[in-house]
Amino acid sequence: MNIYFCGSIRGGRQDAALYHDMIVFLKQYGDVLTEHVGDLRLTEQGNDGTADAIWQRDTEWLRQSNIVIAECSTPSLGVGYELAYAEARGVPCYLFYRRSETQLSAMLTGDDYFHIFPYETKEDIFRELDTILER
């Protein structure tokens, strides 16, 4: 299974450790194409690629993906774009956010295509991911 993980890069890296842990967890179910999102050394500047190269690479990965898992607690235009791109191509999308800290955009919550899971702890995420990925 090819898994596309979405998490904020330029929108803020405060959840980088959570992204890392989620990616480690997801790797037991398949190949995480966007493993770099969980790299704790990655800053808000992103990686060394040009904007065009990043878009080309990421949209190719989205086309190869069987599923998208997104952590949406830190607002990110890039994550929103990735979700819309995946939806347009029929890739199933599962979104997680911290209910106590975040209010998701109505563009996400109003779209019944997205499977949305509020959570409080990392363990809550892992329980849901087990359920989703063991289907």
Side-chain angles (χ1 to χ4, degrees), residues 72-117:
C72 298
S73 297
T74 300
S76 167
L77 292 171
V79 170
Y81 183 92
E82 290 165 328
L83 292 170
Y85 194 95
E87 179 185 14
R89 282 148 188 82
V91 181
C93 296
Y94 296 84
L95 288 60
F96 294 83
Y97 74 99
R98 279 187 302 283
R99 149 189 16 234
S100 61
E101 299 174 27
T102 304
Q103 184 173 352
L104 286 185
S105 167
M107 293 301 290
L108 298 175
T109 60
D111 184 344
D112 64 3
Y113 184 82
F114 298 117
H115 307 278
I116 299 175
F117 301 92

Side-chain angles (χ1 to χ4, degrees), residues 19 26 38 41 75 93 126 130:
Y19 302 160
L26 289 168
R41 297 167 296 171
C93 296
F126 295 163
D130 275 334

Side-chain angles (χ1 to χ4, degrees), residues 27-80:
K27 287 171 72 174
Q28 69 183 314
Y29 288 101
D31 295 323
V32 179
L33 303 175
T34 54
E35 191 171 345
H36 67 283
V37 176
D39 185 341
L40 300 178
R41 297 167 296 171
L42 188 62
T43 68
E44 290 177 13
Q45 304 309 311
N47 55 23
D48 295 333
T50 65
D52 181 62
I54 292 168
W55 184 87
Q56 293 289 340
R57 177 198 66 200
D58 290 4
T59 56
E60 176 61 28
W61 282 340
L62 280 162
R63 288 189 298 276
Q64 294 173 12
S65 296
N66 303 106
I67 191 169
V68 170
I69 304 295
E71 204 299 323
C72 298
S73 297
T74 300
S76 167
L77 292 171
V79 170

